[in-house]
Amino acid sequence: MTLPDVTQLTLEEKASLTSGASFWYTKPVERAGVPAIMVTDGPHGLRKQREGGDHLGIGDSVPATCFPPAVGLGSSWDVELVERVGEALGAETSIEGVAVLLGPGINIKRSPLCGRNFEYLSEDPIVSGVLGAAMVHGVQSKGVGTSLKHFAANNQEDDRMRSSSDVDPRPLREIYLRGFQRVVEDAQPWTVMCSYNRINGVYASEDPWLLTRVLRDEWGFEGLVVSDWGAVNDRVLGLKAGMDLEMPSSGGVTDAQIVAAVQDGSLDESVLDVAAGRVLDLVRKATEGAGAVAGPLDVDAHHALAREAAGRSIVLLKNDPVSGADAGAEAGAGAPLLPLAKDARIAVIGEFAEKPRYQGAGSSMINPTRLDTALDEIRALAAGEVAYARGFSNAVEVPSEEVVSLREEAVAAASAADVAVVFLGLPARLESEGYDRDDIDLPAPQLDLLDAVLEANPNTVVVLSNGGVVALPFADRVPAILEGWLLGQAGGGATADVLFGDVNPSGKLTETIPLRLEDTPAFLDFPGEFSHVRYGEGLFVGYRWYDARRLPVAFPFGHGLSYTEFSYADAAASVTANGDVLVTVAVTNTGDRAGREVVQVYTSKPNSAVQRPVRELKAFASVALEPGETREVTLTVRRKDLAYWDIRVDGWIVEGGEYVIDVAASSRDIRASVSVTVDGDAVVLPLSRNSSIGEVLSHPIAGPVVQAAIEQMMSGMDGVDAIMPEGVDATKMMMSFPIGRAGMFAAADSNGAVSPEMIDGLIAMGNAGVAAGAEAPQG
Ligand code: BGC
């Protein structure tokens, strides 16, 4: 189909293209042969509403496979798996005739309280960026588009449509934007969805710095910016900033505003042409890609993939041996409790086993094609007796007699079994898009129930269902814990697979599980007040915070056990010709069962000139190993990921010198450390009277001159230390002294004053020398 060029459209037609026709459709321009296209949620399944539209997931939608939400899938740390799930999502999108799937969501988990954390991947930008790019690649390989969201610094639900995320430049660039940058540069999503919130006082939907300078000029984004649903504040300002398509429909109101602004001269028509042109480009891509996947949907195949993905999402937090010959462990007495023997007598306890929580509330709610329950799937795999007790009720009001009778029933079931498998979790109402949590606690009746069960039978496994992390006050007392997150429609089967060892768990935490809410980085600055939230923890988000503060945590970032064990050897690192750092390590499966290890690479910079976290993740790989197998794993740390954002030059700078490379099984399980020396980027700041003596001394031209002058000045004295009180480091003191005020020093000395003219001359000479080509390496 040939679509018109933007020059062939009238002013009104162009304006009409820049907002939706309805909740999910863009506007057609029938006269010119421009069709409407459909976009819809996302991210972990297709939510194509049959009629009408809402962004709360209320209206009925066509059945689609509900894959694990990002909180689960991200725990796989597996690019290949995420891409495969993306391909399946893309196929379902194509089969249903939808042009763009609204996802992935890659916002950073700044606080565990954010009600929408289940839709996001990690507290770390490299995990978010790498897996986000894999998802975009997968979906877009099927001729449909994605919408990378929510751009940017949208890290809470509270007051989300007005709140200003007040973030300093370094954390904004290094933490909150870095993942978006990675996805845009590596995968070119067809669209980016700007968020509701403001950033440092400016609405994301009308921020030219964000939507044009950063996104397009710096990162090279070629697609279209769409607003989050209802995120438009001032439509004309938004258009000027680079916000191309407003969704959903404005009922024509904002189209008329755009036309009026062009007519009264306050909006240049060329700005509208660019936005309308981008909508036409999107429609063109969509029509070219349409029909790439022929239906009908293979429901069974996608359900099987959902089960595989869910199995890979589960994180084995803990797996201790328990006493007693009949503990129910497959490997017998003295072995870790999991996996369970298939013929063990099992008491399944907890409402979630029967009524799974498998996705979060809000715009991402999928109408699944099928829904497994853990109880049925455990029964399907078990060879022994499986009893079930509800244990607790997730209802808001539960009469106390019911609490007691449910608990007694559970205790009786646990007492009669070899092992109790207790399903605990967050009731759906406690976390959702649109509002945040008040605490990170599991409901007290569930904790009480667990205590009672543990007393009756210490051979207890806890399986968790939660979208945001929860405190685990029982972690020391329970031998085995599976973090089951929200696992999508096949999570029940996947849980059974892991419990019995048909799947060896390989998930690892993409977010820290803290001991207490009070320990978390944003505790004192969340959710802010009067529509401002100060990102006071700066760079120290997630593990960066706990490590810098040396705080104990329940389970660290990157942690996750397996039913086998892995050893690491021969770690090495070298700098390649293009400046990337290549890390190699030999990983061996030392156990007797096939498994997967997620190898992690962290870097740190000793004696850095800028503030740095203790260590930061830079690369990772998921490696499958047969028992006894060794593989050399190669990981690339991109040079650009070593860079910090330098506020003096408003740019990325790689500091030169030694970097420590930690090869690790988690952020707190470092298996090997090696180091490399990296060439730094040149940073030459113009000299001024306000430059410190230290800065002048490190200047390539002015430095040697000043050094000589200082030496000469000192020659008449017994060194500057002679005139300073004992023990004071005079040189250190001088380093931060602005050169423009050096005259003060010199005047007190008999060698004569340093005149302002001499200083200005020095500055001019230094700046001119640099302009003529001299450079100073940084670091
Ligand atoms: C959400 C988006 C979603 C949109 C459409 C908004 O409320 O923030 O993530 O894509 O609604 O449902």
Side-chain angles (χ1 to χ4, degrees), residues 24 41 47 55 116 149-150 160 196 228 363 433:
W24 303 119
D41 290 309
R47 185 171 71 95
H55 56 160
R116 212 174 176 181
K149 64 190 189 183
H150 306 88
R160 67 172 169 166
Y196 287 125
D228 197 346
S363 62
E433 175 178 344

Side-chain angles (χ1 to χ4, degrees), residues 348-426:
V348 171
I349 296 167
E351 197 176 275
F352 295 106
E354 190 191 17
K355 292 193 188 138
R357 253 206 88 210
Y358 61 100
Q359 61 177 337
S363 62
S364 65
M365 275 185 88
I366 310 308
N367 176 14
T369 58
R370 204 176 279 177
L371 184 58
D372 287 354
T373 74
L375 180 58
D376 288 347
E377 299 298 324
I378 290 170
R379 285 191 163 137
L381 291 187
E385 187 191 316
V386 178
Y388 171 65
R390 214 170 120 217
F392 56 85
S393 163
N394 277 324
V396 181
E397 299 285 340
V398 189
S400 53
E401 316 81 69
E402 191 183 338
V403 172
V404 172
S405 72
L406 287 172
R407 193 178 307 158
E408 283 172 353
E409 196 194 347
V411 165
S415 311
D418 298 324
V419 58
V421 181
V422 184
F423 287 78
L424 305 179
L426 289 175

Side-chain angles (χ1 to χ4, degrees), residues 310-312 314 316 338-340 381 482 493-506 563:
R312 301 280 301 284
I314 294 171
L316 176 63
L338 291 175
L340 300 177
L381 291 187
L482 287 179
T495 304
D497 291 339
V498 168
L499 284 169
F500 289 118
D502 291 3
V503 166
N504 189 353
S506 57
Y563 297 151

Side-chain angles (χ1 to χ4, degrees), residues 719-743:
V720 74
D721 289 331
I723 56 169
M724 298 302 290
E726 201 182 346
V728 173
D729 186 338
T731 312
K732 208 169 176 184
M733 187 182 271
M734 265 175 60
M735 285 302 127
S736 61
F737 203 86
I739 185 110
R741 279 173 258 174

Side-chain angles (χ1 to χ4, degrees), residues 348-686:
V348 171
I349 296 167
E351 197 176 275
F352 295 106
E354 190 191 17
K355 292 193 188 138
R357 253 206 88 210
Y358 61 100
Q359 61 177 337
S363 62
S364 65
M365 275 185 88
I366 310 308
N367 176 14
T369 58
R370 204 176 279 177
L371 184 58
D372 287 354
T373 74
L375 180 58
D376 288 347
E377 299 298 324
I378 290 170
R379 285 191 163 137
L381 291 187
E385 187 191 316
V386 178
Y388 171 65
R390 214 170 120 217
F392 56 85
S393 163
N394 277 324
V396 181
E397 299 285 340
V398 189
S400 53
E401 316 81 69
E402 191 183 338
V403 172
V404 172
S405 72
L406 287 172
R407 193 178 307 158
E408 283 172 353
E409 196 194 347
V411 165
S415 311
D418 298 324
V419 58
V421 181
V422 184
F423 287 78
L424 305 179
L426 289 175
R429 65 179 176 281
L430 290 186
E431 53 180 347
S432 168
E433 175 178 344
Y435 56 89
D436 296 322
R437 286 190 290 165
D438 297 327
D439 56 50
I440 57 169
D441 301 332
L442 286 167
Q446 293 190 29
L447 297 176
D448 293 346
L449 167 84
L450 177 63
D451 283 341
V453 169
L454 272 174
E455 203 162 303
N457 191 340
N459 305 332
T460 292
V461 182
V462 168
V463 180
L464 296 164
S465 300
N466 50 307
V469 291
V470 290
L472 304 173
F474 48 81
D476 288 343
R477 289 177 284 128
V478 176
I481 307 174
L482 287 179
E483 176 52 271
W485 303 121
L486 305 179
L487 293 173
Q489 68 179 49
T495 304
D497 291 339
V498 168
L499 284 169
F500 289 118
D502 291 3
V503 166
N504 189 353
S506 57
K508 295 208 182 193
L509 296 176
T510 62
E511 59 192 300
T512 310
I513 302 184
L515 285 170
R516 311 179 309 156
L517 178 62
E518 291 84 343
D519 294 340
T520 61
F523 177 66
L524 294 175
D525 278 321
F526 188 96
E529 56 202 21
F530 308 129
S531 297
H532 278 272
V533 53
R534 168 106 199 105
Y535 284 37
E537 68 286 359
L539 294 170
F540 298 92
V541 178
Y543 63 92
R544 290 166 168 83
W545 169 265
Y546 303 104
D547 289 351
R549 308 296 304 243
R550 296 194 197 183
L551 287 171
V553 299
F555 295 98
F557 176 84
H559 169 79
L561 303 174
S562 163
Y563 297 151
T564 185
E565 302 221 330
F566 302 96
S567 70
Y568 290 53
D570 304 330
S574 59
V575 180
T576 64
N578 70 2
D580 291 345
V581 177
L582 219 57
V583 182
T584 52
V585 62
V587 182
T588 304
N589 178 349
T590 56
D592 55 8
R593 180 186 284 267
R596 271 187 174 271
E597 173 69 330
V598 177
V599 181
Q600 300 155 46
V601 169
Y602 296 82
T603 66
S604 54
K605 175 82 188 74
N607 306 317
S608 175
V610 294
Q611 190 183 49
R612 302 248 189 188
V614 175
R615 63 176 58 83
E616 297 185 277
L617 183 84
K618 297 296 174 192
F620 56 89
S622 167
V623 194
L625 292 165
E626 293 300 317
E629 185 185 351
T630 298
R631 275 192 27 203
E632 186 175 75
V633 184
T634 303
L635 304 103
T636 303
V637 176
R638 293 185 184 177
R639 176 176 169 86
K640 69 194 310 181
D641 289 331
L642 294 176
Y644 70 92
W645 184 259
D646 191 315
I647 59 166
R648 300 168 306 168
V649 296
D650 211 19
W652 291 107
I653 293 296
V654 175
E655 206 180 355
E658 189 205 2
Y659 284 76
V660 175
I661 313 283
D662 291 328
V663 182
S666 91
S667 61
R668 293 198 172 176
D669 184 2
I670 312 300
R671 299 295 181 89
S673 290
V674 290
S675 67
V676 287
T677 301
V678 170
D679 290 338
D681 290 331
V683 185
V684 184
L685 300 171

